[in-house]
Amino acid sequence: MLWVTLVIRAPAARRAPPRRRMLIAIASLATSITLVLEPVAGLVDRAFGPGGGCGIVVSVWGVVGSALILDFVLAATASRRPLLVYGSAALVSAALLLINSGAPEPACLTSADVPWFGLFWSLLCLAHVLGTGPAAILCARYGRRATTRPLRAGLYVLATGFASSTVFWGLVVPAYLVTRSSWLGAAAPLNVAITAWVMALGTALPQLLRLHRAAGDRRTLRHLEPLWRRLVTAVPQVHLPESGRWASDLRLYRRVIEIRDAVLVLRDYVDPGTIEAARAHAGSEALATACWLPLAEAAKERGEPPRAAPPPGADCSGEEWADEVGFALTLAEHRDSALVRSFQPASGSIPDGQR
């Protein structure tokens, strides 16, 4: 699952170095997880000798992967030191290989089995913690600064995944090596599963939320289409010609703005008395607009001139984007409702041409 999400997100990261480094860092963690899962673990054991999840290949790659993660963190904070990071990773990897070469047999050894193996695990745990710990802090910090909800949610989930790996290598593994507790040993596959799924979710979440928003925008566009066509037919000057292929969110933005502009133009074709009567009849500005809008369209279609001074009142659609969309949807949903059909303005408020 984690590899699938990485492949999906890869095209968007090709031209964005920060995002590309982040995906490389996540891919390095995904590789570490893959190496301890079947059937990959079996292939590694047959090629390099049995060692299970603590084989030398898995251990050395853990150091390399941690270096990739740390490089991403330092690059994101404008303090990248590739020579120091990868040079240190090479030295630690060489030390692990040297320590492992003196082992009596390829197995998950500790200092209780071979005295000098305590250094092996200390170096390995430190390498993992130095990679995933800063990554968790960085993702959490940037999550607080994120300007969009999809990005904020994705970064927070990624921070959780990196933190899970940090806790495992910083606390669970050292505690297991000292106590040899069976329940701590059972935490290893559980941590692998949790980290894999959390990282997959964090990687995919921004895209999933964007897809969800795009689907919502398409539904909104379908609901607004009849109203929009009616209004741009009545007030064609508000419709700007479209060129090229418009994204769904931009098309929705244009539709809502064009609906609002058409309403503002048509508002000049009704008198204040009609608007006030509609407000009293409907109880809300959007429903009131739905009541007087057909009268304004009819007046404009008959060729009546607009009023020199528009009717008093604030912009009826609101100031926030959600208010704009909600206003347009209310107009679309109630354009032929019983509430609109039952509206009867006071006779003194109806222009002569509409009586």
Side-chain angles (χ1 to χ4, degrees):
M1 181 63 181
L2 182 52
W3 284 111
V4 171
T5 58
L6 286 169
V7 170
I8 293 173
R9 295 298 305 277
R14 284 184 301 177
R15 296 183 178 85
R19 190 177 300 175
R20 185 168 61 246
R21 290 194 190 96
M22 182 182 72
L23 290 185
I24 290 173
I26 297 172
S28 70
L29 189 59
T31 303
S32 297
I33 294 173
T34 303
L35 288 173
V36 301
L37 298 177
E38 294 294 346
V40 177
L43 294 174
V44 172
D45 286 346
R46 286 193 292 272
F48 300 95
C54 49
I56 190 61
V57 174
V58 176
S59 299
V60 169
W61 176 256
V63 175
V64 175
S66 296
L68 290 169
I69 296 172
L70 184 59
D71 184 42
F72 150 68
V73 173
L74 294 177
T77 57
S79 54
R80 191 171 181 232
R81 299 290 187 272
L83 182 60
L84 176 62
V85 171
Y86 293 111
S88 300
L91 290 175
V92 172
S93 299
L96 295 183
L97 289 168
L98 181 61
I99 296 171
N100 189 74
S101 65
E105 59 181 8
C108 294
L109 304 175
T110 69
S111 56
D113 305 306
V114 179
W116 66 83
F117 243 76
L119 178 60
F120 181 97
W121 288 106
S122 297
L123 289 173
L124 186 58
C125 290
L126 181 62
H128 277 280
V129 171
L130 287 178
T132 57
I137 295 172
L138 179 75
C139 289
R141 187 174 72 181
Y142 276 84
R144 289 195 300 269
R145 299 178 182 177
T147 56
T148 63
R149 283 187 296 178
L151 179 59
R152 183 182 304 113
L155 286 171
Y156 277 143
V157 176
L158 285 176
T160 303
F162 283 123
S164 171
S165 182
T166 303
V167 169
F168 178 75
W169 286 102
L171 296 176
V172 176
V173 171
Y176 173 75
L177 294 173
V178 172
T179 65
R180 305 292 275 186
S181 169
S182 58
W183 70 271
L184 285 175
L190 179 61
N191 175 264
V192 169
I194 291 175
T195 302
W197 280 103
V198 170
M199 296 301 290
L201 177 61
T203 305
L205 191 57
Q207 187 68 19
L208 292 175
L209 292 178
R210 277 192 289 269
L211 290 174
H212 177 72
R213 186 183 65 182
D217 288 349
R218 285 193 292 271
R219 288 194 298 270
T220 302
L221 277 168
R222 287 196 300 270
H223 291 153
L224 294 180
E225 190 70 15
L227 172 68
W228 173 79
R229 290 189 180 279
R230 195 183 92 187
L231 291 180
V232 296
T233 300
V235 191
Q237 65 267 30
V238 302
H239 179 45
L240 299 176
E242 298 181 5
S243 59
R245 186 175 179 178
W246 294 88
S248 178
D249 55 346
L250 183 57
R251 187 180 297 117
L252 176 61
Y253 176 81
R254 287 168 58 92
R255 293 291 188 264
V256 172
I257 296 303
E258 287 167 352
I259 289 171
R260 184 198 63 180
D261 290 347
V263 169
L264 291 176
V265 171
L266 291 170
R267 198 161 174 258
D268 296 345
Y269 289 84
V270 290
D271 61 275
T274 299
I275 293 178
E276 290 303 322
R279 288 171 178 162
H281 174 74
S284 76
E285 198 66 48
L287 292 175
T289 302
C291 291
W292 60 253
L293 195 58
L295 301 176
E297 291 177 78
K300 187 175 185 301
E301 187 176 0
R302 284 193 300 271
E304 296 184 11
R307 294 180 176 273
D315 184 0
C316 50
S317 58
E319 298 179 357
E320 301 295 332
W321 173 245
D323 297 332
E324 296 265 12
V325 176
F327 178 84
L329 283 173
T330 300
L331 289 183
E333 292 170 3
H334 290 85
R335 65 185 188 277
D336 296 321
S337 66
L339 179 72
V340 172
R341 291 195 301 270
S342 64
F343 173 59
Q344 294 292 334
S347 58
S349 299
I350 305 177
D352 294 337
Q354 297 183 40
R355 292 181 180 175

